[in-house]
Amino acid sequence: MHWFDELFPRIESFLGDRSDIVISAGLSVSGLQHVGRLRGEVILANAIAEGLRKKGKDVKQILILYTQDSWKGKEGQLSQFDGESGKEYIGRRLIDVPDPKGCHDSWVDHYWRDFGDVLDDFARDVKVTSTTDVYKLDDMKKNVLELLGKADEIREMVNKYRGRLKYPEGWIPFEPMCKECGKIGSAETLSISEDGQVSYKCSCGDEGVSSMEEGKLNWRLEWPSLWKVLSVDIEPFGKDHATPGGSRDSCKDLAKNIINLIPPFGIPYEWVGMSSEGTDLGDMSSSDFKGFTPREWLELGESQALRFIYLQANPSKRIVLDLAKMDIYHDHLDSGYKSYWQDEKGEEDELRTRTYEISAVEHIAREGMFILPYREASLLTQISPAEDKMHWVVSRLTDTGILTKELSGDEEQYMSERIDLANTWIEKHAPANYQVTLLEELPSDVKGELTKEDMSSLTVFRERLEGTDWNEDALKGTMMQMTKEEDFPVKTKRFFRNLYLVLLGKEQGPRAAPFLSILQKDFVLGRLDEATQS
RNA sequence: GGGCCCGUAGCUUAGCUUGGUAGAGCGAUCGGCUCUUAACCGAUAGGUCAAGGGUUCGAAUCCCUUCGGGCCCGCCA
């Protein structure tokens, strides 16, 4: 059984007959908004939201940006600024840190773009909000004031979870913004008035007043407060909060005993790492600027391919992404499509089918679509002429019998998109052995790879080409005929190996006839001469 | 020091809750398609289920220990 189908009924029974459901997740815009953050906060949440919608529930999916949190000024964050210029922003709210690149209004705005602008491609109907916005809500203000009335009680509970640094009597669980130094979290709250004015004393020496909505609650209260104010029913959260006795448990405790609230159904999930050339580079990290963004993913691959990866694996398992494996990821997606429309399904097909179903962004692709494998697309794009590429590809596929029908509009559209993606992949991330690069010069070591017979086979080919028309059919005919002759010096397979070697420097390559036909005849003849000279 | 998650063929993984000595896809190798390669079809190879121990007639599956990757148990969120 698919892990999703074990999880989902548990959620349903938690929800009971409630019909208006909120599923929420949060993230801090501390830096690079990498694709790992799509896993739990966006895609997992969305799959559940969609599942509930199918059951007739009215579901709202929220993504909360923790913009009110302070900017830590970690090494990776500071390095975004010129020299030391970032240091002065340490301790400010994320929303108050300027854009180090100067092209957006703020840090948050700058780094959010590569994620937020393409969010809709990965999950529909996600309502994005921020803690900065939430603190401006009347409900939140009312909630904060209520909590302040229970300061003693709260202090006792929070101190249970703290080691030596217990909060002293009279502590107010609110972190005001200091008007003087602009920081959050470095001032002590002295009092808060009913109309939301916070008197504080800051470690910078300032004693002043700032508005409640500029500050924030202590995190152990903030989290449960968001649950309350936004009426959160379901919430995925990262593994850092997941350990029993860890942060989320303490927040649940506060929620139940202070706010009198049933905590949302929580779903812990593992993080996403990245690897390159077989080496695990570790988990993606926002503030360390490690990873790649959803926008970068979309240059190379379909959003559903990523959803498929994320939803196939149990949330408790770590996933490692490698952009060099884009072809494999699309193969997985394609096999999901195939299984989905298959009549008789084995167990494996059933699992793939479920993954495919819940990975669909908006609707499931119709039956019988012609789907060009990504790897094939990556080859074709390299050997096709730049102009009228689609036409060339379609006729290639038709000639080889891979394509046996007229493509409909949506099929052609899909193929064209995939070719574009694969093209970018080849340019930027594909393994070297997938790259078909015509050797401008014949390297000397290639000749060392050729035996006398190898050379002789190329010589024969060179002679035959003289009288061959330079088009695919004629080339194919010549090669077929030639390699079948009794006295041809090498086996067919060896001949192609030789041909690829002198043209590409590799033993394999794209289908020879169509490939040769788009090259200049003189170039090919010249290369063969060069390779066979003793 | 305590706790939690993860570790199955080169890669992605199913099976683990309710024990009966491992299934699949991709890749690889070989062969087929009277168009040869990275499409398609067929076959083959590849796993002491991280390691060791225990329970059991029998363990990938339950228990213990160890190793490896990571997280939490201070602050911060």
Side-chain angles (χ1 to χ4, degrees), chain A residues 1-11 265 314 354:
Chain A
M1 179 147 55
H2 199 285
W3 62 265
F4 186 84
D5 295 319
E6 285 174 10
L7 171 67
F8 195 75
R10 293 201 292 123
I11 294 173
F265 187 97
N314 190 299
R354 283 302 284 146

Side-chain angles (χ1 to χ4, degrees), chain A residues 296-339:
Chain A
E296 284 177 272
W297 176 276
L298 290 176
E299 286 175 12
L300 311 169
E302 294 162 27
S303 61
Q304 195 181 354
L306 185 63
R307 282 184 63 115
F308 195 89
I309 296 167
Y310 283 168
L311 294 172
Q312 172 181 263
N314 190 299
S316 66
K317 296 201 184 195
R318 180 166 178 260
I319 288 172
V320 180
L321 295 176
D322 185 340
L323 291 179
K325 293 183 177 168
M326 223 58 193
D327 56 333
I328 295 172
Y329 299 151
H330 286 79
D331 283 351
H332 288 328
L333 176 65
D334 293 350
S335 71
Y337 171 81
K338 200 175 149 195
S339 291

Side-chain angles (χ1 to χ4, degrees), chain A residues 2 29 60 62 90 127 188 220 268 270 320 327 338 344 366 402 415 446 461:
Chain A
H2 199 285
V29 190
K60 184 174 171 190
I62 305 176
I90 294 176
K127 307 278 186 285
E188 186 190 340
R220 266 190 246 266
E270 251 285 356
V320 180
D327 56 333
K338 200 175 149 195
E344 290 186 18
R366 68 171 173 83
I402 294 168
M415 189 195 289
V446 164
F461 185 48

Side-chain angles (χ1 to χ4, degrees), chain A residues 83-232:
Chain A
E84 304 279 282
S85 65
K87 281 202 167 163
E88 62 174 298
Y89 308 119
I90 294 176
R92 286 206 198 174
R93 299 183 303 177
L94 286 166
I95 199 77
D96 292 331
V97 176
D99 177 1
K101 312 298 176 195
C103 44
H104 294 87
D105 288 344
S106 72
W107 172 277
V108 169
D109 198 30
H110 181 91
Y111 292 105
W112 179 243
R113 294 276 69 85
D114 285 342
F115 193 103
D117 287 352
V118 297
L119 192 56
D120 204 44
D121 285 39
F122 292 93
R124 294 290 151 83
D125 285 330
V126 179
K127 307 278 186 285
V128 179
T129 183
S130 67
T131 47
T132 304
D133 286 341
V134 173
Y135 278 104
K136 289 176 184 159
L137 299 174
D138 287 341
D139 280 354
M140 187 60 165
K141 288 178 182 169
K142 201 174 133 212
N143 171 70
V144 172
L145 290 172
E146 271 172 28
L147 289 174
L148 298 179
K150 301 177 185 171
D152 276 344
E153 229 179 307
I154 291 167
R155 183 173 55 86
E156 260 178 54
M157 290 211 66
V158 170
N159 276 343
K160 271 200 318 193
Y161 294 99
R162 290 173 69 91
R164 286 172 216 150
L165 290 168
K166 308 286 188 195
Y167 288 118
E169 205 158 323
W171 170 69
I172 297 174
F174 191 83
E175 295 167 10
M177 189 179 83
C178 171
K179 286 297 207 187
E180 185 61 30
C181 66
K183 293 181 181 178
I184 190 165
S186 57
E188 186 190 340
T189 300
L190 302 174
S191 67
I192 301 186
S193 70
E194 279 299 311
D195 61 350
Q197 294 302 304
V198 186
S199 303
Y200 63 85
K201 182 178 183 191
C202 184
S203 59
C204 74
D206 189 47
E207 273 191 55
V209 175
S210 66
S211 150
M212 196 164 79
E213 61 187 51
E214 291 174 305
K216 72 193 290 292
L217 283 165
N218 173 275
W219 68 270
R220 266 190 246 266
L221 291 159
E222 182 176 84
W223 202 352
S225 294
L226 292 171
W227 293 341
K228 181 187 180 184
V229 172
L230 301 175
S231 310
V232 179

Side-chain angles (χ1 to χ4, degrees), chain A residues 254-403:
Chain A
L254 273 283
K256 283 182 204 160
N257 294 304
I258 303 289
I259 305 185
N260 197 20
L261 180 85
I262 300 168
F265 187 97
I267 309 161
Y269 62 88
E270 251 285 356
W271 291 344
V272 178
M274 61 189 292
S275 70
S276 177
E277 294 176 1
T279 305
D280 190 332
L281 302 173
D283 291 327
M284 296 194 193
S285 163
S286 180
S287 56
D288 293 334
F289 288 82
K290 192 160 115 191
F292 48 88
T293 65
R295 194 194 295 281
E296 284 177 272
W297 176 276
L298 290 176
E299 286 175 12
L300 311 169
E302 294 162 27
S303 61
Q304 195 181 354
L306 185 63
R307 282 184 63 115
F308 195 89
I309 296 167
Y310 283 168
L311 294 172
Q312 172 181 263
N314 190 299
S316 66
K317 296 201 184 195
R318 180 166 178 260
I319 288 172
V320 180
L321 295 176
D322 185 340
L323 291 179
K325 293 183 177 168
M326 223 58 193
D327 56 333
I328 295 172
Y329 299 151
H330 286 79
D331 283 351
H332 288 328
L333 176 65
D334 293 350
S335 71
Y337 171 81
K338 200 175 149 195
S339 291
Y340 181 86
W341 290 106
Q342 206 164 317
D343 286 334
E344 290 186 18
K345 295 183 173 74
E347 279 179 51
E348 302 284 333
D349 293 313
E350 293 291 355
L351 282 175
R352 270 197 296 272
T353 295
R354 283 302 284 146
T355 305
Y356 189 76
E357 275 174 335
I358 60 177
S359 73
V361 178
E362 195 156 37
H363 52 79
I364 288 166
R366 68 171 173 83
E367 190 172 12
M369 287 275 285
F370 177 80
I371 295 175
L372 180 65
Y374 188 93
R375 198 173 304 108
E376 199 64 15
S378 76
L379 271 174
L380 289 168
T381 187
Q382 293 180 81
I383 61 170
S384 55
E387 270 181 46
D388 209 9
K389 181 170 279 199
M390 271 301 282
H391 182 261
W392 189 89
V393 168
V394 167
S395 61
R396 279 291 325 126
L397 293 169
T398 306
D399 288 349
T400 45
I402 294 168
L403 182 59

